[in-house]
Amino acid sequence: MYRFLLTPRWLGILALTLAAATVMVLLGNWQLSRYQERAAINQRIDETAKLAPVPVEEVLPRPDGPAGSAGQPPPAGAAWTRVSVTGRYDSANVILVRSRTVQSRVGFEVLTPLRLADGSAVLVDRGWIPPAPGGAAVTRPEIPAAPSGDVTVVGRVHLSESKPDAVLRRDGRIETRRIAVPALARELPYPVYSAYLLLDEQTPAADPAFSAIPIRHENDWQNGGYVVQWWLFALLALVGFGWAARREARGDLKDPDAHRDRAGQDRAGQDRAGQDRAGLEGRADLPAGAAPNS
């Protein structure tokens, strides 16, 4: 009944179906790995929020290179760790990061280097401020002054952003669109830690003009949905092949015209057979030696 599956046509269909299902399963596995990675990040964000801060040098490698360089990359698991550090803000090297969105509004993030006693510095994201009133989204705002004297900062370690943008100096301010620490470090007269801090708490207190930078969780459920989607597609491909094979076996996929032609040929064959039998019977009734009338 299913012997037709061994024909070249159906073997080709089966090979194509299995190849498509395999690709879909592999895509689902890749999305599953992305889901697990993002879920782990979200779990770390939630867990570190409950932990007491630790000194920054226990989490990030101390920069020991020359001025204008960044330290060694952070170790695995350093992101989102709460750390504390004490130093003095360098107000002469404030960094404005433009085109940053908070609560659907475009403005600036303000990074200020915090100089430590050993001569190095860590970049502190003090928060977000809107552009100057009445100006465009990229109009430079008035930046609240950083506290003078010793400042203690508690913040979350944020890894350097990829794809660095151009770094410009205008009117004593450093401007960029991406917080790429190695690129920013080249504009500073001291070595810098390789990650920056999102400000949580500050002593003395931070200026209320700043809005805190929200820590966004990864959209892991999107990847979870893709996992189900790809695996379901793979299953449907296999089920579709089985359904088509069953219909073929039952004759449901055959061409109706071919059915009619075949039925007509069968009836014609039956009519010829009947005529042949009638002719033979007629010849049997003739007397011996007599010839049929022409």
Side-chain angles (χ1 to χ4, degrees):
M1 184 176 180
Y2 287 94
R3 197 169 297 169
F4 65 88
L5 292 176
L6 300 178
T7 62
R9 173 173 174 265
W10 278 92
L11 287 175
I13 294 174
L14 176 60
L16 182 61
T17 301
L18 292 177
T22 300
V23 170
M24 293 173 190
V25 169
L26 293 176
L27 288 171
N29 291 343
W30 177 73
Q31 289 291 346
L32 178 61
S33 67
R34 291 289 296 143
Y35 167 79
Q36 292 170 338
E37 291 172 4
R38 290 185 164 186
I41 292 174
N42 291 339
Q43 182 178 4
R44 179 162 182 78
I45 291 173
D46 294 336
E47 288 177 349
T48 55
K50 307 171 186 176
L51 300 178
V54 297
V56 67
E57 59 270 15
E58 294 184 11
V59 178
L60 299 176
R62 180 182 176 278
D64 54 6
S69 66
Q72 295 298 316
W80 308 116
T81 304
R82 294 187 78 216
V83 298
S84 63
V85 60
T86 299
R88 295 192 171 206
Y89 279 125
D90 178 11
S91 298
N93 288 290
V94 173
I95 301 168
L96 282 178
V97 188
R98 60 184 181 275
S99 301
R100 309 292 276 202
T101 302
V102 171
Q103 296 180 352
S104 302
R105 298 179 63 195
V106 179
F108 296 79
E109 290 181 37
V110 179
L111 275 69
T112 306
L114 187 70
R115 294 291 307 274
L116 311 186
D118 61 9
S120 64
V122 59
L123 299 181
V124 178
D125 191 334
R126 294 163 59 200
W128 178 93
I129 55 176
V138 294
T139 303
R140 182 184 293 185
E142 187 69 29
I143 302 171
S148 59
D150 289 342
V151 178
T152 298
V153 168
V154 174
R156 299 280 198 105
V157 173
H158 197 300
L159 302 183
S160 180
E161 296 178 358
S162 60
K163 299 179 181 179
D165 192 59
V167 180
L168 308 174
R169 268 195 179 271
R170 292 195 310 169
D171 303 328
R173 295 283 187 265
I174 302 171
E175 289 192 17
T176 186
R177 293 187 61 183
R178 308 284 294 178
I179 307 176
V181 175
L184 295 172
R186 290 193 286 269
E187 299 293 325
L188 302 173
Y190 32 73
V192 179
Y193 279 84
S194 57
Y196 67 101
L197 305 184
L198 292 180
L199 182 65
D200 276 350
E201 305 170 14
Q202 179 181 286
T203 306
D207 194 296
F210 288 107
S211 297
I213 305 300
I215 297 177
R216 296 182 177 87
H217 285 66
E218 298 284 337
N219 188 5
D220 55 349
W221 285 107
Q222 182 181 39
N223 298 100
Y226 288 147
V227 172
V228 175
Q229 171 185 293
W230 284 118
W231 288 354
L232 183 60
F233 285 167
L235 178 61
L236 289 176
L238 298 175
V239 171
F241 177 83
W243 173 79
R246 179 172 175 79
R247 288 194 61 190
E248 178 76 10
R250 295 171 56 188
D252 293 341
L253 289 182
K254 296 186 182 298
D255 187 353
D257 294 336
H259 275 297
R260 288 192 292 269
D261 294 342
R262 194 174 297 111
Q265 293 170 3
D266 291 342
R267 286 193 297 271
Q270 292 172 0
D271 292 344
R272 285 195 298 271
Q275 292 171 3
D276 291 342
R277 283 195 299 271
L280 290 174
E281 290 172 356
R283 290 187 180 90
D285 294 339
L286 292 173
N293 295 326
S294 56

